[in-house]
Amino acid sequence: MGYPTKRILIADDHESVLRGVRAMLEAHTGWEVCGEAANGYEAITKAIELRPDLIILDVAMPRVDGLQAANEISKLLPGVQIVLHTMYGARVVLEAHKHGIFRVVEKAKSGALVSAVEELLNANVERPNGPGFKARFGGDATNQHEG
């Protein structure tokens, strides 16, 4: 009685980060990295082609940055969950939520990435500006403050 494999797309312009994230994720039973992208444009096209369950995006990528890519992907694939994996951390949280990103994880906290992916893939998590989020928190993510 197995669960279906969860498919994950990774986008980062640094090959070493792609390799490290892939290794962390594929060590987890039931997760498969279905594709990689080296820039935001490639992330958008691969997301459409591969239809992953979750996408991990870097912020600073060539051609199209991670925030723009997330914005486009969430319009084209409204059910896909997006994690922003960044060096900028708290500085991009509010902006990230405006673009349909579910979680922001700092690259320096690699264990937090696996935890965020696990939480999102194992739960039915509401989009940051969805009606359930607004009902629970009395507004949208742009009005929330990280503590």
Side-chain angles (χ1 to χ4, degrees), residues 94 97-98 129 133-134 137-146:
L94 292 179
H97 288 309
K98 293 178 191 175
N129 287 318
F133 185 97
K134 290 177 184 177
F137 299 107
D140 62 37
T142 59
N143 294 327
Q144 303 301 311
H145 298 283
E146 293 291 308

Side-chain angles (χ1 to χ4, degrees), residues 11-141:
D12 198 295
D13 58 328
H14 293 97
E15 180 66 31
S16 61
V17 173
L18 286 173
R19 279 194 314 267
V21 170
R22 175 184 277 276
M24 272 193 305
L25 297 175
E26 289 188 336
H28 196 286
T29 303
W31 296 354
E32 168 195 13
V33 175
C34 63
E36 295 177 350
N39 62 61
Y41 177 78
E42 192 178 357
I44 296 166
T45 58
K46 286 197 174 185
I48 294 166
E49 173 192 343
L50 300 171
R51 305 228 181 244
D53 297 296
L54 184 135
I55 302 171
I56 298 172
L57 295 173
D58 183 20
V59 173
M61 291 188 291
R63 292 190 72 184
V64 176
D65 71 32
L67 293 173
Q68 293 171 314
N71 195 47
E72 193 62 30
I73 291 166
S74 27
K75 288 179 194 169
L76 297 167
L77 301 170
V80 74
Q81 296 172 337
I82 303 172
V83 175
L84 199 63
H85 191 223
T86 179
M87 294 185 312
Y88 303 106
R91 292 183 283 177
V92 297
V93 169
L94 292 179
E95 192 63 28
H97 288 309
K98 293 178 191 175
H99 294 277
I101 294 166
F102 285 82
R103 296 285 185 279
V104 176
V105 178
E106 292 184 44
K107 286 185 177 180
K109 299 176 182 175
S110 59
L113 179 62
V114 172
S115 296
V117 169
E118 189 166 42
E119 178 186 344
L120 291 171
L121 290 177
N122 292 332
N124 185 13
V125 178
E126 179 83 33
R127 206 167 263 294
N129 287 318
F133 185 97
K134 290 177 184 177
R136 283 191 308 278
F137 299 107
D140 62 37

